Amino acid sequence: MTSYKELGLVNTTEMFKKAVAGGYAIPAFNFNTLEQMQAIVQAAVETKSPVIMQVSKGARNYANGTILRYMAQGAVEYAKELGCENPQIVLHLDHGDSFELCKDCIDNGFSSVMIDGSSLPYEDNIALTKKVVEYAHAHDVTVEAELGVLAGVEDEVASEVSHYTKPEEVIDFATRSGCDSLAISIGTSHGAYKFTPDQCTRDPKTGKLVPPPLAFDILHEIESKLPGFPIVLHGSSSVPQDEVDTINAHGGKLPDAVGIPEEQLREASKSAVCKINIDSDSRLAMTAAIRKHFDEKPGDFDPRQYLKPARENMKKMYIHKIVDVLGSNDKL
């Protein structure tokens, strides 16, 4: 067994306490590749921000769990090399779907895990979450649970419809499951197509889709029932239209891709929402830079030639999220 402490990682306990008290949110960026990891660490160090590096079940299958563990250890050492004496980096399992998967991640150096039993009946969700919590807490690992269902598709996580979190259930769920943070559903959605055109209006000047607002009334009711309890938003990429436009201008096909407006995420981050998940925006930034490079320099074939601008574009996006949206800069 490998403890995350041996790798120089931290869990989310103190990180979330400070974020809730300070009115900001910790960035939770998904990664699969070396370039994503480098960009995340560079952005976190330059902005002096704590950061959560997330790994989905699909990412573990793609990149290999052992390699990802050493990449996380490398991220800590890389941050120190870049001048951050005390980096605050979490390695988190995103959307764990079984006790066995969560246990394997804990045993292999993860400092935080999410058990997603949101598709199960209520009592089954509590029972599964509690089982994970008992094992995780024995190893000082923090646990995120989910109540409510997000629509959209990302990796193995998919649902055609969303079900908002019921505020009347949150006290019972958090108390009985023992979870350390709670992912809720208030209108965010997975993937780059978070809403159908029928769910949106169109800006008459630009023709771009305008998504429906988040259900802040539900968020505020949950906050009143669980004051100070760490709340998480999944599916919170903004799907930047400049990246979508770049992709489409260089051979891509992403019609009507739309995300969560950043001003709504800024508002959420000032509340008890202390962790905001961002994945699709990184994919879009990487893909936009690569498509543009191939279009403009079709003779290039060295991966470093197109992965370097991709890494730079992701880093720019991460810094923007940390500073302009989540407010986690200068918190180390």
Side-chain angles (χ1 to χ4, degrees):
M1 179 171 181
T2 301
S3 168
Y4 68 87
K5 296 175 184 178
E6 299 170 22
L7 308 179
L9 300 164
V10 300
N11 67 23
T12 61
T13 302
E14 292 304 316
M15 190 180 284
F16 283 176
K17 284 181 182 178
K18 292 178 181 178
V20 172
Y24 61 91
I26 307 296
F29 298 131
N30 289 69
F31 80 107
N32 305 261
T33 70
L34 171 67
E35 290 75 23
Q36 286 175 307
M37 183 273 279
Q38 289 174 318
I40 291 169
V41 174
Q42 289 170 8
V45 170
E46 289 188 24
T47 59
K48 299 178 182 175
S49 173
V51 70
I52 296 169
M53 293 174 45
Q54 303 199 137
V55 176
S56 66
K57 179 181 177 180
R60 286 190 91 217
N61 292 337
Y62 174 80
N64 179 268
T66 302
I67 290 174
L68 287 170
R69 180 179 79 222
Y70 286 111
M71 285 177 72
Q73 183 178 26
V76 174
E77 297 305 316
Y78 183 38
K80 293 178 181 177
E81 184 179 305
L82 292 175
C84 182
E85 294 183 5
N86 185 30
Q88 299 292 297
I89 299 175
V90 172
L91 179 61
H92 175 74
L93 171 65
D94 189 24
H95 286 289
D97 60 1
S98 69
F99 170 79
E100 290 74 21
L101 175 60
C102 291
K103 179 180 182 299
D104 188 58
C105 288
I106 293 166
D107 292 347
N108 283 279
F110 280 63
S111 57
S112 176
V113 295
M114 179 201 183
I115 179 63
D116 182 0
S118 60
S119 63
L120 300 173
Y122 180 76
E123 290 295 333
D124 292 346
N125 188 359
I126 290 178
L128 176 58
T129 302
K130 184 178 180 181
K131 184 178 181 180
V132 172
V133 165
E134 289 173 348
Y135 187 81
H137 284 185
H139 298 88
D140 202 23
V141 170
T142 42
V143 179
E144 174 187 328
E146 183 165 337
L147 192 58
V149 179
L150 273 67
V153 178
E154 193 162 6
D155 281 359
E156 295 87 356
V157 182
S159 178
E160 292 184 2
V161 296
S162 64
H163 300 284
Y164 284 174
T165 302
K166 299 176 181 177
E168 63 270 20
E169 294 179 342
V170 296
I171 296 176
D172 179 68
F173 184 90
T175 302
R176 291 172 58 198
S177 71
C179 64
D180 301 291
S181 61
L182 186 62
I184 63 171
S185 174
I186 59 169
T188 55
S189 180
H190 290 123
Y193 294 92
K194 297 186 182 300
F195 307 98
T196 65
D198 290 342
Q199 294 174 301
C200 304
T201 57
R202 284 196 183 270
D203 186 318
K205 294 181 179 180
T206 65
K208 298 289 187 181
L209 293 177
V210 179
L214 299 180
F216 280 99
D217 56 332
I218 294 177
L219 171 60
H220 296 324
E221 189 174 350
I222 290 172
E223 288 179 299
S224 69
K225 292 182 180 298
L226 289 175
F229 193 82
I231 301 298
V232 177
L233 288 186
H234 283 240
S236 296
S237 284
S238 298
V239 188
Q241 288 305 299
D242 57 339
E243 305 292 7
V244 173
D245 291 343
T246 298
I247 290 171
N248 290 339
H250 295 281
K253 191 176 182 181
L254 292 175
D256 293 332
V258 63
I260 309 300
E262 289 187 339
E263 60 269 20
Q264 294 190 40
L265 296 176
R266 274 192 290 271
E267 182 179 345
S269 67
K270 295 175 182 177
S271 68
V273 173
C274 62
K275 173 178 180 275
I276 292 183
N277 292 11
I278 297 168
D279 186 4
S280 294
D281 285 356
S282 172
R283 301 180 185 194
L284 292 168
M286 187 175 200
T287 300
I290 291 173
R291 279 194 173 276
K292 184 174 185 291
H293 186 93
F294 279 155
D295 208 10
E296 295 176 350
K297 299 180 179 180
D300 284 356
F301 64 91
D302 183 339
R304 292 170 296 183
Q305 292 172 313
Y306 52 86
L307 290 176
K308 184 176 180 180
R311 183 177 62 196
E312 288 302 310
N313 205 36
M314 287 188 289
K315 174 185 170 182
K316 181 179 74 172
M317 185 274 295
Y318 292 139
I319 289 176
H320 165 67
K321 296 292 185 181
I322 289 170
V323 175
D324 301 321
V325 182
L326 308 181
S328 63
N329 53 301
D330 299 317
K331 299 301 188 296
L332 289 182

